[in-house]
Amino acid sequence: MAPPALLDPGCPLCADAGGRVLVRAGAWRIVLAGDPDYPAFTRVVWSTHVAEMSDLGEEQRGELMRVVLEVERAQRAALSPDKINLASFGNVVPHLHWHVIPRWRDDRHFPEPVWGRPAAGRDEAVAARRAAVLGRLDAYIETLRRRLGGSADPGAGTIVA
């Protein structure tokens, strides 16, 4: 297998952060996706342009999964969701990234995936849930930054606005 290009100029995740950057390290970044129904929908994006987990070496895969799990832990600690969804598709944007999505039984799509068919009759619950999550979003971001951005470890992330 040939080594992948560092960046692909036609790739949206090479050309743009893919959301509001919360923490950045050399190999990865953590961003809020900006989904209005899911304000804590977070992406962990690998920095170089690769499409699959198997494109990474064993140590890189371990690092990426460590970060994904820390995002999950931060969401659980700060937001107390009913469930966390983890997904890595790349069908539309073939650049390695993971979605970490806190879910609640009263969210717009539960139990379907967030890309699935929305449930009917939940507008009030969705608005209330959105407000509750937005009210805890700063605590989530602080927890995330404390876990991944506040370490003295040279591999730890850098806190970004």
Side-chain angles (χ1 to χ4, degrees):
M1 172 173 30
L6 291 177
L7 297 175
D8 177 344
C11 171
L13 289 177
C14 287
D16 187 65
R20 176 183 162 204
V21 178
L22 303 177
V23 180
R24 182 188 308 267
W28 48 264
R29 64 186 174 273
I30 299 170
V31 301
L32 283 178
D35 188 303
D37 284 336
Y38 302 94
F41 184 140
T42 304
R43 291 186 188 109
V44 179
V45 182
W46 193 251
S47 293
T48 57
H49 187 80
V50 297
E52 308 296 345
M53 289 290 291
S54 59
D55 290 334
L56 302 179
E58 186 175 339
E59 191 172 305
Q60 293 171 314
R61 283 191 307 271
E63 173 68 4
L64 181 55
M65 291 315 301
R66 181 187 73 80
V67 173
V68 169
L69 293 174
E70 285 299 333
V71 172
E72 177 184 307
R73 287 182 185 112
Q75 288 181 354
R76 292 181 71 194
L79 304 172
S80 301
D82 295 319
K83 181 71 177 94
I84 301 282
N85 288 172
L86 299 176
S88 179
F89 300 115
N91 298 339
V92 176
V93 179
H95 181 123
L96 183 57
H97 63 286
W98 281 83
H99 303 273
V100 186
I101 312 162
R103 301 294 306 278
W104 288 268
R105 288 180 188 89
D106 61 357
D107 73 34
R108 185 164 307 282
H109 296 91
F110 199 89
E112 297 289 324
V114 297
W115 300 280
R117 191 182 67 209
R122 290 192 185 165
D123 290 346
E124 285 183 33
V126 167
R129 176 62 58 200
R130 180 183 309 118
V133 172
L134 285 171
R136 293 184 295 204
L137 198 58
D138 286 342
Y140 162 57
I141 293 168
E142 179 56 36
T143 301
L144 183 63
R145 289 175 171 175
R146 189 173 57 251
R147 289 173 179 267
L148 287 162
S151 171
D153 174 5
T158 302
I159 296 172
V160 181

